[in-house]
């Protein structure tokens, strides 16, 4: 018999706050299917506050509360049975981060977990990324966010090294990334890929997803270094308004897409990668998978108790 449940994942990033609702389809003898039902994104841009003043502004606190109230109602109407809310770089660094967590819990009932870069990378690795990395190839996985970028190296389907750096699109827009940070990332990548003959990039994040969509490529295909370089030149040749009009970009995408592309191109240069795969995954997808895994573990524990 087919069983269907809905799970919710809230990703509170430095550039935007997202709610993903997925339907989990289970049928005996068949692989579980994860189907995205709804995705809502609000560009609050917490990083613009935090990376300058170390605090989330009162205005953006109010916007966060409004967004969480809306998400709580959406999950209720969708009949979501499990959810998790995770906050990343901006909330990690905000002096008033814990106060905001308590306020939102009080106002909406939603509990927010502020996670570190390592936990963020581990959650993303739970996604369909495994379908790509489970080979004898070597990949540098680059997840670009507003406040940080997570770099993970996979070889033979196993994690070789992983590190989070304060290299994010919102930080770059506000000129808050030092030359030393760029140097540190470059050295880390080059040191950890030494000895591997051929490395391919895997890119995740809203910006690379947008670039891939505009490329017209079919899912599973890669973008070449030359294509990404050419697109970067196109972006830089246009004004902010032209990027919105000619490339049909959202207002909050039209500025951050340039520093994001620079990060991906830099990672490709450092690793000598000639192609980048874009599986369209993110933290919210990993949260959904983690909720499902928790349910499976709970079921196993319950069965063990009953057998005893």
């Amino acid at each position: 018999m087919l069983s269907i449940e809905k799970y919710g994942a809230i990703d509170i990033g430095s550039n935007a706050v997202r709610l993903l609702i997925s339907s989990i389809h289970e049928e005996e003898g068949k692989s579980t299917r994860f189907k995205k039902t709804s995705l809502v994104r609000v560009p609050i841009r917490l990083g613009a506050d935090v990376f300058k003043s170390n605090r989330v502004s009162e205005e953006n606190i109010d916007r966060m509360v409004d967004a969480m109230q809306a998400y709580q109602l959406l999950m209720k109407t969708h009949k979501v049975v499990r959810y998790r809310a995770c906050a990343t770089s901006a909330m990690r660094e905000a002096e008033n981060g814990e106060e905001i967590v308590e306020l939102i819990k009080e106002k909406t009932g939603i509990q927010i977990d502020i996670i570190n870069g390592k936990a963020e990378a581990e959650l993303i690795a739970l996604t369909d990324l495994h379908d790509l990395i489970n080979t004898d190839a070597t990949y540098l996985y680059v997840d670009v966010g507003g406040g940080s970028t997570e770099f993970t190296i996979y070889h033979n389907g196993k994690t070789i090294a992983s590190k989070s750096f304060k290299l994010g699109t919102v930080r770059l827009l506000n000129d808050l990334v030092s030359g030393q940070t760029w140097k540190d990332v470059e050295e880390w990548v080059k040191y950890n890929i030494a000895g591997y003959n051929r490395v391919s990039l895997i890119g995740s994040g809203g910006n690379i997803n947008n670039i891939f969509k505009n490329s017209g490529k079919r899912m599973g295909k890669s973008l070449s270094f030359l294509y990404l370089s050419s697109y970067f030149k196109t972006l830089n040749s246009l004004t902010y308004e032209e990027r919105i009009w000619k490339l049909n970009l959202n207002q909050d995408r039209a500025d951050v897409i340039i520093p994001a592309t620079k990060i991906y191109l830099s990672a490709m240069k450092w690793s000598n990668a000639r192609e980048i795969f874009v599986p369209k995954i993110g933290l919210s997808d990993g949260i959904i998978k983690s909720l499902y895994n928790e349910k499976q573990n709970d079921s196993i524990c319950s069965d063990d108790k009953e057998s005893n």
Side-chain angles (χ1 to χ4, degrees), residues 89 93 147-149 164-168 171-172 176-178 181 185:
S89 186
E93 296 182 32
S148 64
T149 296
S164 178
F165 291 91
K166 292 182 179 180
L167 177 68
R171 288 188 201 272
L172 287 166
L176 296 172
V177 178
S178 68
T181 298
V185 180

Side-chain angles (χ1 to χ4, degrees), residues 275-288:
E275 61 184 351
I276 178 171
F277 292 91
V278 187
K280 294 191 74 173
I281 55 173
L283 179 62
S284 53
D285 300 277
I287 294 171
I288 295 293

